[in-house]
Amino acid sequence: TNDVIQEQDNQQTLAEIDQIVSTIINAGSDVLVANLIPTYADAYLDNADARIEQLGNLIDAYVTQLANSSIKLVDVRNGYTQAMMFDDGIHPNDLGDSHIAAAFADVFFANDYCQTLRP
């Protein structure tokens, strides 16, 4: 989101994500890659909402294309609403934080990363 707000090209951001993911995979670890929560900031930032949605779609496609069982997509976007944001339309409030945490927890439990903490 910060890269989009700073007007960095989405393809450059995706290349940076790929470099980080590759480094972690080469070290022998699994990687959780989150797509992006939507923003509601067009009133403050020209066309940021569409560019953030586009980057989120690129991240989804990137993880799918890799088809690597060590790379898991964390879908923080699905079900996220404007009510989960502070008034700036960029930062999650407590509801948004809970939504994001739940999305990560779903992936943790589905992949047995937290066996002893399972509810």
Side-chain angles (χ1 to χ4, degrees):
T1 300
N2 287 336
D3 287 352
V4 170
I5 290 169
Q6 294 173 6
E7 299 187 10
Q8 178 170 299
D9 180 75
N10 281 345
Q11 291 298 327
Q12 182 179 347
T13 300
L14 191 62
E16 291 169 356
I17 291 169
D18 181 57
Q19 183 177 21
I20 294 166
V21 168
S22 296
T23 299
I24 295 169
I25 291 296
N26 290 338
S29 295
D30 286 1
V31 180
L32 304 181
V33 179
N35 54 18
L36 300 177
I37 59 173
T39 57
Y40 304 91
D42 272 352
Y44 310 106
L45 302 165
D46 188 35
N47 202 29
D49 296 346
R51 290 181 291 132
I52 287 170
E53 182 178 353
Q54 178 192 41
L55 180 56
N57 291 337
L58 289 171
I59 292 169
D60 291 346
Y62 165 76
V63 172
T64 299
Q65 177 187 1
L66 290 176
N68 183 327
S69 63
S70 295
I71 304 170
K72 313 288 192 281
L73 178 69
V74 180
D75 186 2
V76 296
R77 179 174 38 185
N78 187 31
Y80 202 93
T81 67
Q82 190 168 359
M84 297 176 181
M85 289 289 200
F86 282 112
D87 289 341
D88 66 4
I90 298 171
H91 296 96
N93 60 25
D94 289 346
L95 288 173
D97 289 342
S98 293
H99 176 86
I100 293 167
F104 273 90
D106 288 348
V107 173
F108 282 18
F109 293 132
N111 293 282
D112 291 326
Y113 294 138
C114 299
Q115 296 171 12
T116 60
L117 299 176
R118 187 176 295 272

